[in-house]
Coordinates of all heavy atoms in Angstrom, one line a residue:
L285 N -28.4 -10.4 6.8 CA -28.3 -9.0 7.1 C -29.6 -8.3 6.9 O -30.4 -8.6 6.0 CB -27.3 -8.4 6.2 CG -25.8 -8.7 6.4 CD1 -25.0 -8.1 5.3 CD2 -25.3 -8.3 7.7
L286 N -29.9 -7.3 7.7 CA -31.1 -6.6 7.7 C -30.8 -5.2 7.0 O -31.7 -4.3 7.1 CB -31.7 -6.4 9.0 CG -32.0 -7.7 9.8 CD1 -32.5 -7.4 11.2 CD2 -33.1 -8.4 9.0
F287 N -29.6 -5.0 6.4 CA -29.3 -3.8 5.8 C -28.4 -4.0 4.6 O -27.8 -5.1 4.4 CB -28.6 -2.8 6.7 CG -27.3 -3.4 7.2 CD1 -26.1 -3.1 6.6 CD2 -27.2 -4.2 8.4 CE1 -24.9 -3.6 7.0 CE2 -26.0 -4.7 8.8 CZ -24.9 -4.4 8.2
E288 N -28.3 -3.1 3.7 CA -27.5 -3.2 2.5 C -26.1 -2.5 2.9 O -26.1 -1.4 3.4 CB -28.1 -2.4 1.3 CG -27.3 -2.4 0.1 CD -27.2 -3.8 -0.6 OE1 -28.1 -4.6 -0.4 OE2 -26.2 -4.0 -1.3
P289 N -25.0 -3.3 2.7 CA -23.7 -2.7 3.0 C -23.5 -1.4 2.3 O -23.9 -1.3 1.1 CB -22.7 -3.8 2.6 CG -23.5 -5.0 2.6 CD -24.9 -4.6 2.3
S290 N -22.8 -0.4 2.9 CA -22.6 0.9 2.2 C -21.8 0.8 0.9 O -21.9 1.6 0.1 CB -21.9 1.8 3.2 OG -20.7 1.3 3.5
G291 N -21.1 -0.3 0.8 CA -20.3 -0.5 -0.5 C -21.1 -0.9 -1.7 O -20.6 -1.0 -2.7
G292 N -22.4 -1.1 -1.5 CA -23.2 -1.5 -2.6 C -23.0 -2.9 -3.0 O -22.7 -3.8 -2.2
N293 N -23.0 -3.1 -4.3 CA -23.0 -4.5 -4.8 C -21.6 -4.8 -5.4 O -21.4 -5.5 -6.3 CB -24.0 -4.7 -5.9 CG -24.3 -6.1 -6.2 OD1 -24.0 -7.0 -5.4 ND2 -24.9 -6.4 -7.3
Y294 N -20.5 -4.2 -4.8 CA -19.2 -4.3 -5.3 C -18.6 -5.7 -5.3 O -17.8 -6.1 -6.0 CB -18.2 -3.3 -4.6 CG -17.9 -3.8 -3.2 CD1 -16.8 -4.6 -2.9 CD2 -18.7 -3.4 -2.1 CE1 -16.5 -5.0 -1.6 CE2 -18.4 -3.7 -0.9 CZ -17.3 -4.5 -0.6 OH -17.1 -4.9 0.7
Q295 N -19.1 -6.5 -4.4 CA -18.6 -7.9 -4.2 C -18.9 -8.7 -5.5 O -18.2 -9.7 -5.7 CB -19.3 -8.6 -3.0 CG -18.9 -8.0 -1.7 CD -19.9 -7.0 -1.2 OE1 -20.8 -6.6 -1.9 NE2 -19.9 -6.6 0.1
N296 N -19.9 -8.4 -6.2 CA -20.3 -9.2 -7.4 C -19.7 -8.7 -8.7 O -20.0 -9.3 -9.7 CB -21.8 -9.3 -7.5 CG -22.4 -9.9 -6.2 OD1 -21.9 -10.9 -5.7 ND2 -23.6 -9.4 -5.8
T297 N -18.9 -7.7 -8.7 CA -18.4 -7.2 -9.9 C -17.1 -7.9 -10.2 O -16.4 -8.3 -9.3 CB -18.2 -5.6 -9.8 OG1 -17.2 -5.4 -8.8 CG2 -19.5 -4.9 -9.6
G298 N -16.7 -7.9 -11.4 CA -15.4 -8.6 -11.8 C -14.3 -7.6 -12.1 O -13.5 -7.8 -12.9
T299 N -14.3 -6.5 -11.4 CA -13.2 -5.5 -11.6 C -11.9 -6.1 -11.1 O -11.8 -7.0 -10.3 CB -13.5 -4.2 -10.7 OG1 -13.5 -4.6 -9.4 CG2 -14.9 -3.6 -11.1
P300 N -10.8 -5.5 -11.7 CA -9.5 -6.0 -11.2 C -9.3 -5.9 -9.7 O -8.7 -6.7 -9.1 CB -8.5 -5.1 -12.0 CG -9.3 -4.7 -13.2 CD -10.7 -4.6 -12.8
E301 N -9.8 -4.8 -9.2 CA -9.7 -4.6 -7.7 C -10.4 -5.7 -6.9 O -9.8 -6.2 -6.0 CB -10.3 -3.2 -7.3 CG -10.3 -2.9 -5.8 CD -9.0 -2.6 -5.2 OE1 -8.0 -2.4 -5.9 OE2 -9.0 -2.6 -3.9
N302 N -11.6 -6.0 -7.4 CA -12.3 -7.1 -6.7 C -11.7 -8.4 -6.9 O -11.7 -9.2 -5.9 CB -13.8 -7.1 -7.3 CG -14.8 -7.2 -6.2 OD1 -14.4 -7.1 -5.0 ND2 -16.0 -7.3 -6.6
L303 N -11.1 -8.7 -8.1 CA -10.5 -10.0 -8.3 C -9.3 -10.1 -7.3 O -9.0 -11.1 -6.8 CB -10.0 -10.1 -9.7 CG -11.2 -10.2 -10.7 CD1 -10.7 -10.2 -12.1 CD2 -12.0 -11.5 -10.5
Y304 N -8.5 -9.0 -7.2 CA -7.4 -9.0 -6.3 C -7.8 -9.2 -4.8 O -7.2 -10.0 -4.1 CB -6.6 -7.6 -6.4 CG -5.6 -7.5 -5.3 CD1 -4.4 -8.2 -5.5 CD2 -5.8 -6.8 -4.1 CE1 -3.4 -8.1 -4.5 CE2 -4.8 -6.7 -3.2 CZ -3.6 -7.4 -3.3 OH -2.7 -7.3 -2.4
L305 N -8.9 -8.5 -4.4 CA -9.3 -8.7 -3.0 C -9.8 -10.1 -2.7 O -9.7 -10.6 -1.6 CB -10.5 -7.7 -2.7 CG -10.1 -6.2 -2.7 CD1 -11.3 -5.3 -2.6 CD2 -9.1 -6.0 -1.6
K306 N -10.4 -10.8 -3.7 CA -10.9 -12.1 -3.5 C -9.8 -13.2 -3.7 O -10.0 -14.4 -3.3 CB -12.0 -12.4 -4.5 CG -13.3 -11.6 -4.2 CD -14.4 -12.0 -5.2 CE -15.6 -11.2 -4.8 NZ -16.7 -11.6 -5.8
S307 N -8.7 -12.9 -4.3 CA -7.7 -13.9 -4.5 C -7.0 -14.4 -3.3 O -6.9 -13.7 -2.3 CB -6.6 -13.3 -5.5 OG -5.9 -12.3 -4.8
A308 N -6.6 -15.6 -3.3 CA -5.9 -16.2 -2.2 C -4.5 -15.6 -2.1 O -3.8 -15.4 -3.1 CB -5.7 -17.7 -2.3
K309 N -4.1 -15.2 -0.9 CA -2.8 -14.6 -0.7 C -2.0 -15.4 0.3 O -2.5 -15.9 1.3 CB -2.9 -13.2 -0.2 CG -3.6 -12.3 -1.2 CD -4.1 -11.0 -0.5 CE -5.0 -10.3 -1.4 NZ -6.3 -10.9 -1.6
Q310 N -0.7 -15.5 0.0 CA 0.2 -16.3 0.9 C 0.8 -15.4 2.0 O 1.0 -14.2 1.7 CB 1.3 -16.9 0.1 CG 0.9 -18.0 -0.8 CD 2.0 -18.6 -1.6 OE1 3.1 -18.0 -1.6 NE2 1.8 -19.7 -2.2
N311 N 1.0 -15.9 3.1 CA 1.5 -15.1 4.3 C 3.0 -15.2 4.3 O 3.6 -15.8 5.2 CB 0.9 -15.6 5.6 CG 0.9 -14.5 6.6 OD1 1.1 -13.4 6.4 ND2 0.6 -14.9 7.8
V312 N 3.7 -14.7 3.3 CA 5.1 -14.7 3.2 C 5.7 -13.4 2.8 O 5.0 -12.6 2.2 CB 5.6 -15.8 2.1 CG1 5.2 -17.2 2.5 CG2 5.1 -15.4 0.7
C313 N 6.9 -13.1 3.1 CA 7.6 -11.9 2.7 C 7.6 -11.9 1.1 O 8.1 -12.8 0.5 CB 9.0 -11.8 3.2 SG 10.0 -10.4 2.7
V314 N 7.2 -10.8 0.5 CA 7.2 -10.7 -0.9 C 8.6 -10.5 -1.5 O 8.8 -10.7 -2.7 CB 6.2 -9.6 -1.5 CG1 4.8 -9.9 -1.1 CG2 6.6 -8.3 -1.0
A315 N 9.5 -10.2 -0.7 CA 10.9 -9.9 -1.2 C 11.8 -11.2 -1.1 O 12.4 -11.6 -2.1 CB 11.6 -8.8 -0.4
C316 N 11.7 -11.9 0.0 CA 12.6 -13.0 0.2 C 11.9 -14.4 0.4 O 12.5 -15.4 0.4 CB 13.6 -12.8 1.4 SG 12.8 -12.8 3.0
G317 N 10.6 -14.3 0.7 CA 9.8 -15.6 0.9 C 9.8 -16.1 2.3 O 9.3 -17.2 2.5
S318 N 10.4 -15.3 3.2 CA 10.4 -15.8 4.6 C 9.0 -16.0 5.1 O 8.1 -15.2 4.8 CB 11.1 -14.7 5.5 OG 10.9 -15.0 6.8
T319 N 8.8 -16.9 6.0 CA 7.5 -17.2 6.5 C 7.3 -16.8 8.0 O 6.3 -17.1 8.6 CB 7.1 -18.7 6.4 OG1 8.2 -19.5 7.1 CG2 7.1 -19.2 4.9
D320 N 8.3 -16.1 8.5 CA 8.3 -15.7 9.9 C 8.2 -14.2 10.1 O 8.8 -13.5 9.3 CB 9.5 -16.2 10.7 CG 9.6 -17.7 10.7 OD1 8.5 -18.4 10.8 OD2 10.7 -18.3 10.6
H321 N 7.5 -13.8 11.1 CA 7.6 -12.4 11.6 C 7.4 -11.3 10.5 O 8.3 -10.7 10.1 CB 8.9 -12.1 12.3 CG 9.2 -13.1 13.4 ND1 8.5 -13.2 14.6 CD2 10.2 -14.0 13.4 CE1 9.0 -14.2 15.3 NE2 10.0 -14.7 14.6
H322 N 6.1 -11.2 10.1 CA 5.8 -10.3 9.0 C 5.4 -8.9 9.5 O 5.0 -8.7 10.6 CB 4.7 -10.9 8.1 CG 5.1 -12.2 7.5 ND1 4.5 -13.3 7.8 CD2 6.1 -12.5 6.6 CE1 5.0 -14.3 7.2 NE2 6.0 -13.8 6.4
M323 N 5.6 -7.9 8.6 CA 5.2 -6.5 8.8 C 4.5 -6.0 7.5 O 4.8 -6.5 6.4 CB 6.4 -5.6 9.0 CG 7.3 -6.1 10.2 SD 8.8 -5.1 10.3 CE 8.1 -3.7 11.0
R324 N 3.5 -5.1 7.7 CA 2.9 -4.5 6.6 C 3.9 -3.4 6.1 O 4.4 -2.6 6.9 CB 1.6 -3.8 7.0 CG 0.5 -4.7 7.2 CD -0.7 -3.9 7.5 NE -1.7 -4.8 8.2 CZ -2.6 -4.4 9.0 NH1 -2.7 -3.1 9.3 NH2 -3.4 -5.2 9.6
H325 N 4.0 -3.2 4.8 CA 4.7 -2.1 4.2 C 3.8 -1.5 3.2 O 3.3 -2.1 2.3 CB 6.0 -2.7 3.5 CG 6.8 -1.6 2.8 ND1 7.5 -0.7 3.6 CD2 6.9 -1.2 1.6 CE1 8.1 0.2 2.7 NE2 7.7 -0.1 1.5
Y326 N 3.7 -0.1 3.3 CA 2.9 0.6 2.4 C 3.7 1.1 1.3 O 4.7 1.8 1.5 CB 2.2 1.8 3.1 CG 1.2 1.3 4.2 CD1 1.6 1.0 5.4 CD2 -0.1 1.2 3.8 CE1 0.7 0.5 6.4 CE2 -1.0 0.7 4.8 CZ -0.6 0.4 6.0 OH -1.5 -0.1 6.9
I327 N 3.4 0.8 0.0 CA 4.2 1.2 -1.1 C 4.2 2.7 -1.3 O 5.3 3.3 -1.5 CB 3.6 0.6 -2.4 CG1 3.5 -0.9 -2.3 CG2 4.3 1.0 -3.6 CD1 4.8 -1.6 -2.2
V328 N 3.1 3.4 -1.2 CA 3.1 4.9 -1.2 C 3.3 5.4 0.2 O 2.4 5.1 1.1 CB 1.7 5.4 -1.8 CG1 1.7 6.9 -1.8 CG2 1.5 4.8 -3.2
P329 N 4.3 6.1 0.5 CA 4.6 6.6 1.8 C 3.5 7.4 2.4 O 2.8 8.2 1.6 CB 5.9 7.4 1.7 CG 6.5 6.9 0.4 CD 5.4 6.5 -0.4
Y330 N 3.2 7.4 3.7 CA 2.2 8.2 4.3 C 2.3 9.7 4.0 O 1.4 10.4 3.8 CB 2.1 7.9 5.8 CG 1.0 8.6 6.5 CD1 -0.3 8.1 6.4 CD2 1.2 9.8 7.1 CE1 -1.3 8.8 7.0 CE2 0.2 10.5 7.7 CZ -1.1 10.0 7.7 OH -2.1 10.7 8.3
A331 N 3.6 10.1 4.0 CA 3.8 11.6 3.7 C 3.3 12.0 2.4 O 2.8 13.1 2.2 CB 5.3 11.8 3.8
Y332 N 3.3 11.1 1.4 CA 2.7 11.4 0.1 C 1.3 11.1 0.0 O 0.5 11.7 -0.7 CB 3.5 10.6 -1.0 CG 5.0 11.1 -1.1 CD1 5.9 10.2 -1.6 CD2 5.4 12.3 -0.7 CE1 7.2 10.6 -1.7 CE2 6.7 12.7 -0.8 CZ 7.6 11.9 -1.3 OH 8.9 12.2 -1.4
R333 N 0.8 10.0 0.7 CA -0.6 9.6 0.6 C -1.5 10.7 1.0 O -2.6 10.9 0.5 CB -0.8 8.4 1.5 CG -2.2 7.9 1.5 CD -2.4 6.7 2.5 NE -1.4 5.7 2.3 CZ -1.5 4.7 1.5 NH1 -2.6 4.6 0.7 NH2 -0.6 3.8 1.4
T334 N -1.1 11.5 2.1 CA -1.9 12.6 2.6 C -2.2 13.6 1.5 O -3.1 14.4 1.6 CB -1.3 13.2 3.8 OG1 0.0 13.7 3.5 CG2 -1.2 12.2 5.0
L335 N -1.3 13.7 0.5 CA -1.4 14.7 -0.5 C -2.3 14.3 -1.7 O -2.7 15.1 -2.5 CB 0.0 15.1 -1.1 CG 1.0 15.6 0.0 CD1 2.4 15.7 -0.6 CD2 0.5 16.9 0.6
L336 N -2.7 13.0 -1.7 CA -3.5 12.5 -2.8 C -4.9 12.8 -2.7 O -5.4 13.0 -1.5 CB -3.3 11.0 -2.9 CG -1.9 10.4 -3.2 CD1 -1.9 8.9 -3.1 CD2 -1.5 10.9 -4.6
P337 N -5.7 12.9 -3.8 CA -7.1 13.0 -3.7 C -7.8 11.8 -3.0 O -7.2 10.7 -3.0 CB -7.6 13.1 -5.2 CG -6.4 13.4 -5.9 CD -5.2 12.9 -5.2
D338 N -8.9 12.0 -2.4 CA -9.6 11.0 -1.6 C -9.8 9.7 -2.4 O -9.6 8.6 -1.8 CB -10.9 11.5 -1.1 CG -10.8 12.4 0.1 OD1 -9.7 12.4 0.7 OD2 -11.7 13.2 0.4
Q339 N -10.1 9.8 -3.7 CA -10.3 8.6 -4.5 C -9.1 7.7 -4.5 O -9.3 6.5 -4.8 CB -10.8 9.0 -5.9 CG -9.7 9.6 -6.7 CD -10.2 10.2 -8.0 OE1 -11.3 10.7 -8.1 NE2 -9.5 10.0 -9.1
Y340 N -7.9 8.2 -4.3 CA -6.7 7.4 -4.4 C -6.3 7.0 -3.0 O -5.4 6.1 -2.8 CB -5.6 8.1 -5.0 CG -5.9 8.5 -6.5 CD1 -6.1 9.8 -6.9 CD2 -6.0 7.5 -7.4 CE1 -6.3 10.1 -8.2 CE2 -6.3 7.8 -8.7 CZ -6.5 9.1 -9.1 OH -6.8 9.3 -10.4
K341 N -6.9 7.5 -1.9 CA -6.4 7.2 -0.6 C -7.2 6.1 0.1 O -6.8 5.5 1.0 CB -6.5 8.4 0.3 CG -5.5 9.5 0.0 CD -5.5 10.5 1.1 CE -6.5 11.6 0.9 NZ -6.3 12.7 1.8
T342 N -8.4 5.8 -0.4 CA -9.3 4.8 0.3 C -9.2 3.5 -0.4 O -9.1 3.4 -1.6 CB -10.8 5.3 0.3 OG1 -11.2 5.6 -1.1 CG2 -10.9 6.6 1.0
H343 N -9.3 2.4 0.4 CA -9.4 1.1 -0.1 C -8.3 0.7 -1.1 O -8.4 0.1 -2.1 CB -10.7 0.8 -0.8 CG -11.9 1.2 0.0 ND1 -12.2 0.6 1.2 CD2 -12.9 2.1 -0.2 CE1 -13.3 1.1 1.7 NE2 -13.7 2.0 0.9
M344 N -7.1 1.0 -0.6 CA -5.9 0.7 -1.4 C -5.2 -0.5 -0.9 O -4.0 -0.5 -0.6 CB -4.9 1.9 -1.5 CG -5.5 3.1 -2.2 SD -4.4 4.5 -2.3 CE -3.0 3.9 -3.2
S345 N -5.9 -1.6 -0.8 CA -5.3 -2.8 -0.2 C -4.1 -3.3 -1.1 O -3.2 -4.0 -0.5 CB -6.3 -3.9 0.0 OG -6.9 -4.2 -1.2
H346 N -4.1 -3.0 -2.4 CA -3.0 -3.5 -3.2 C -1.8 -2.6 -3.0 O -0.7 -2.9 -3.5 CB -3.4 -3.4 -4.7 CG -3.9 -2.1 -5.1 ND1 -5.2 -1.7 -4.9 CD2 -3.3 -1.1 -5.7 CE1 -5.3 -0.5 -5.4 NE2 -4.2 -0.1 -5.8
D347 N -1.9 -1.6 -2.2 CA -0.7 -0.7 -1.8 C 0.0 -1.3 -0.6 O 1.1 -0.8 -0.2 CB -1.3 0.7 -1.5 CG -0.1 1.6 -1.2 OD1 0.8 1.7 -1.9 OD2 -0.3 2.3 -0.1
I348 N -0.5 -2.4 0.0 CA 0.1 -2.9 1.2 C 0.8 -4.3 0.8 O 0.1 -5.1 0.1 CB -0.9 -3.2 2.3 CG1 -1.6 -1.9 2.6 CG2 -0.2 -3.8 3.5 CD1 -2.8 -2.1 3.5
V349 N 2.0 -4.5 1.1 CA 2.7 -5.7 0.9 C 3.3 -6.2 2.2 O 3.4 -5.5 3.2 CB 3.9 -5.6 -0.1 CG1 3.3 -5.3 -1.5 CG2 4.9 -4.6 0.3
I350 N 3.5 -7.5 2.3 CA 4.0 -8.2 3.5 C 5.6 -8.3 3.4 O 6.0 -8.9 2.4 CB 3.4 -9.6 3.7 CG1 1.9 -9.5 3.8 CG2 4.0 -10.3 4.9 CD1 1.4 -8.7 5.0
L351 N 6.3 -7.8 4.4 CA 7.7 -8.0 4.4 C 8.2 -8.5 5.7 O 7.6 -8.2 6.7 CB 8.4 -6.6 4.1 CG 8.2 -6.0 2.7 CD1 8.8 -4.6 2.7 CD2 8.8 -6.8 1.6
C352 N 9.3 -9.2 5.7 CA 10.0 -9.6 7.0 C 10.7 -8.4 7.5 O 10.9 -7.4 6.7 CB 10.9 -10.8 6.7 SG 12.4 -10.4 5.8
P353 N 11.1 -8.3 8.8 CA 11.7 -7.1 9.3 C 13.0 -6.7 8.5 O 13.2 -5.5 8.3 CB 12.1 -7.5 10.7 CG 11.0 -8.6 11.1 CD 10.8 -9.3 9.8
E354 N 13.8 -7.7 8.1 CA 15.1 -7.3 7.4 C 14.8 -6.7 6.1 O 15.4 -5.7 5.7 CB 15.9 -8.6 7.2 CG 16.5 -9.2 8.5 CD 15.5 -10.1 9.2 OE1 14.4 -10.4 8.6 OE2 15.7 -10.4 10.4
C355 N 13.8 -7.2 5.3 CA 13.5 -6.6 4.0 C 12.8 -5.3 4.2 O 12.9 -4.4 3.4 CB 12.6 -7.6 3.2 SG 13.5 -9.1 2.7
H356 N 12.0 -5.2 5.3 CA 11.3 -3.9 5.6 C 12.3 -2.8 5.8 O 12.2 -1.7 5.3 CB 10.4 -4.1 6.8 CG 9.5 -2.9 7.0 ND1 9.8 -1.9 7.9 CD2 8.3 -2.6 6.5 CE1 8.9 -1.0 7.9 NE2 7.9 -1.4 7.0
V357 N 13.4 -3.1 6.6 CA 14.4 -2.1 6.8 C 15.1 -1.7 5.5 O 15.3 -0.5 5.3 CB 15.4 -2.6 7.9 CG1 16.7 -1.7 8.0 CG2 14.8 -2.7 9.3
S358 N 15.4 -2.7 4.7 CA 16.1 -2.4 3.4 C 15.2 -1.6 2.5 O 15.7 -0.6 1.9 CB 16.4 -3.7 2.7 OG 17.4 -4.5 3.5
C359 N 14.0 -1.9 2.5 CA 13.0 -1.2 1.7 C 12.8 0.3 2.2 O 12.8 1.2 1.4 CB 11.7 -1.9 1.6 SG 10.6 -1.3 0.4
E360 N 12.8 0.4 3.5 CA 12.6 1.8 4.0 C 13.8 2.6 3.7 O 13.7 3.8 3.4 CB 12.4 1.7 5.6 CG 11.0 1.3 5.9 CD 10.0 2.4 5.5 OE1 10.2 3.6 5.8 OE2 8.9 2.0 5.0
K361 N 15.0 2.1 3.8 CA 16.2 2.8 3.4 C 16.2 3.3 2.0 O 16.5 4.5 1.7 CB 17.5 2.0 3.7 CG 17.8 1.8 5.1 CD 19.1 1.0 5.2 CE 19.4 0.7 6.7 NZ 20.6 -0.2 6.8
L362 N 15.8 2.4 1.1 CA 15.7 2.8 -0.3 C 14.6 3.8 -0.5 O 14.7 4.8 -1.3 CB 15.5 1.6 -1.2 CG 16.6 0.6 -1.2 CD1 16.2 -0.7 -1.9 CD2 17.8 1.2 -2.0
S363 N 13.5 3.6 0.1 CA 12.4 4.6 0.0 C 12.7 6.0 0.5 O 12.4 7.0 -0.2 CB 11.2 4.0 0.8 OG 10.1 4.9 0.7
K364 N 13.4 6.0 1.6 CA 13.8 7.3 2.2 C 14.8 8.0 1.2 O 14.8 9.2 1.0 CB 14.5 7.2 3.5 CG 13.6 6.6 4.6 CD 12.6 7.7 5.1 CE 11.8 7.1 6.2 NZ 10.5 7.7 6.4
A365 N 15.7 7.2 0.6 CA 16.7 7.8 -0.3 C 16.0 8.3 -1.5 O 16.3 9.4 -2.1 CB 17.7 6.7 -0.7
K366 N 15.0 7.6 -2.0 CA 14.2 8.0 -3.2 C 13.4 9.3 -2.9 O 13.4 10.3 -3.7 CB 13.3 6.9 -3.7 CG 12.5 7.3 -4.9 CD 13.3 7.5 -6.1 CE 12.5 7.7 -7.3 NZ 13.3 8.0 -8.5
M367 N 12.8 9.4 -1.7 CA 12.1 10.5 -1.3 C 13.0 11.8 -1.2 O 12.6 12.8 -1.7 CB 11.4 10.3 0.1 CG 10.2 9.4 0.0 SD 9.6 8.9 1.6 CE 8.9 10.5 2.2
K368 N 14.2 11.6 -0.7 CA 15.1 12.7 -0.6 C 15.6 13.2 -1.9 O 15.7 14.4 -2.2 CB 16.4 12.2 0.2 CG 17.3 13.3 0.7 CD 16.5 14.2 1.6 CE 17.5 15.0 2.5 NZ 16.9 16.0 3.2
S369 N 15.8 12.2 -2.9 CA 16.2 12.6 -4.2 C 15.1 13.3 -4.9 O 15.3 14.3 -5.6 CB 16.5 11.3 -5.0 OG 16.6 11.5 -6.4
M370 N 13.8 12.9 -4.7 CA 12.7 13.6 -5.3 C 12.5 15.0 -4.7 O 12.3 16.0 -5.5 CB 11.4 12.8 -5.1 CG 11.4 11.6 -5.9 SD 10.0 10.5 -5.5 CE 8.6 11.5 -5.9
E371 N 12.7 15.2 -3.4 CA 12.7 16.5 -2.8 C 13.8 17.4 -3.3 O 13.5 18.6 -3.6 CB 12.8 16.3 -1.3 CG 11.6 15.7 -0.6 CD 11.8 15.3 0.8 OE1 12.9 15.8 1.4 OE2 11.0 14.6 1.4
N372 N 15.0 16.9 -3.5 CA 16.1 17.7 -4.0 C 15.8 18.1 -5.4 O 16.1 19.3 -5.8 CB 17.4 17.0 -3.9 CG 17.9 16.8 -2.5 OD1 17.5 17.6 -1.6 ND2 18.7 15.8 -2.2
A373 N 15.2 17.3 -6.2 CA 14.9 17.6 -7.6 C 13.9 18.7 -7.7 O 14.0 19.6 -8.5 CB 14.5 16.3 -8.4
L374 N 12.9 18.6 -6.8 CA 11.9 19.7 -6.8 C 12.4 21.0 -6.3 O 12.1 22.1 -6.8 CB 10.7 19.2 -5.9 CG 9.8 18.2 -6.4 CD1 8.8 17.7 -5.3 CD2 9.0 18.7 -7.6
R375 N 13.4 21.0 -5.4 CA 14.0 22.2 -4.9 C 14.8 22.9 -6.0 O 14.8 24.1 -6.2 CB 14.9 21.9 -3.7 CG 14.2 21.8 -2.4 CD 15.1 21.9 -1.2 NE 14.4 21.5 0.0 CZ 14.4 20.3 0.5 NH1 15.1 19.4 0.0 NH2 13.6 20.1 1.6
D376 N 15.5 22.0 -6.8 CA 16.3 22.5 -7.9 C 15.4 23.2 -9.0 O 15.9 24.1 -9.7 CB 17.1 21.4 -8.6 CG 18.2 20.9 -7.6 OD1 18.5 21.6 -6.6 OD2 18.7 19.8 -7.8
D377 N 14.2 22.7 -9.2 CA 13.3 23.2 -10.2 C 12.7 24.6 -9.8 O 12.2 25.3 -10.6 CB 12.1 22.3 -10.4 CG 12.6 21.1 -11.2 OD1 13.7 21.1 -11.8 OD2 11.8 20.1 -11.2
L378 N 12.8 24.9 -8.5 CA 12.3 26.2 -8.0 C 13.3 27.3 -8.3 O 13.5 28.2 -8.6 CB 12.0 26.2 -6.5 CG 10.9 25.2 -6.1 CD1 10.8 25.2 -4.6 CD2 9.6 25.6 -6.7

């Protein structure tokens, strides 16, 4: 390389984030172990991520998990129900 990457010397640090990024990951659904037809699932919903400070929105690769379509649908249903519950609780507090 003829330039220094903008991320600096982060590759050589032993931070937990760096150890996670360098670790070997299996290409399986984290819920059921299926090895076919994977999808990315973001733990923090996009609707909430946009409200977070920039320091929490960038480089959050540990916020992404691999799910099969069936587990993804199940997870989305639970996520939507939790979001609705949180919204109702906030409305009640007003």
Side-chain angles (χ1 to χ4, degrees):
L285 289 176
L286 301 176
F287 61 92
E288 179 69 26
S290 63
N293 198 19
Y294 71 92
Q295 294 95 344
N296 297 326
T297 63
T299 64
E301 172 76 8
N302 225 6
L303 293 174
Y304 172 78
L305 292 173
K306 290 181 177 181
S307 67
K309 296 165 192 69
Q310 295 180 341
N311 205 13
V312 297
C313 174
V314 297
C316 71
S318 170
T319 58
D320 296 325
H321 309 292
H322 300 115
M323 304 173 77
R324 288 185 199 150
H325 178 76
Y326 294 86
I327 302 297
V328 178
Y330 182 79
Y332 295 156
R333 180 186 308 275
T334 58
L335 303 173
L336 296 173
D338 286 341
Q339 69 189 39
Y340 298 113
K341 291 193 273 190
T342 58
H343 306 302
M344 293 179 63
S345 58
H346 56 276
D347 180 49
I348 303 169
V349 294
I350 302 297
L351 294 175
C352 68
E354 293 81 13
C355 292
H356 189 266
V357 168
S358 297
C359 191
E360 281 296 313
K361 284 181 183 176
L362 292 170
S363 179
K364 297 287 185 203
K366 181 65 175 175
M367 288 172 67
K368 192 65 159 170
S369 170
M370 292 170 62
E371 290 170 10
N372 290 337
L374 286 172
R375 279 194 190 100
D376 293 342
D377 289 344
L378 297 175

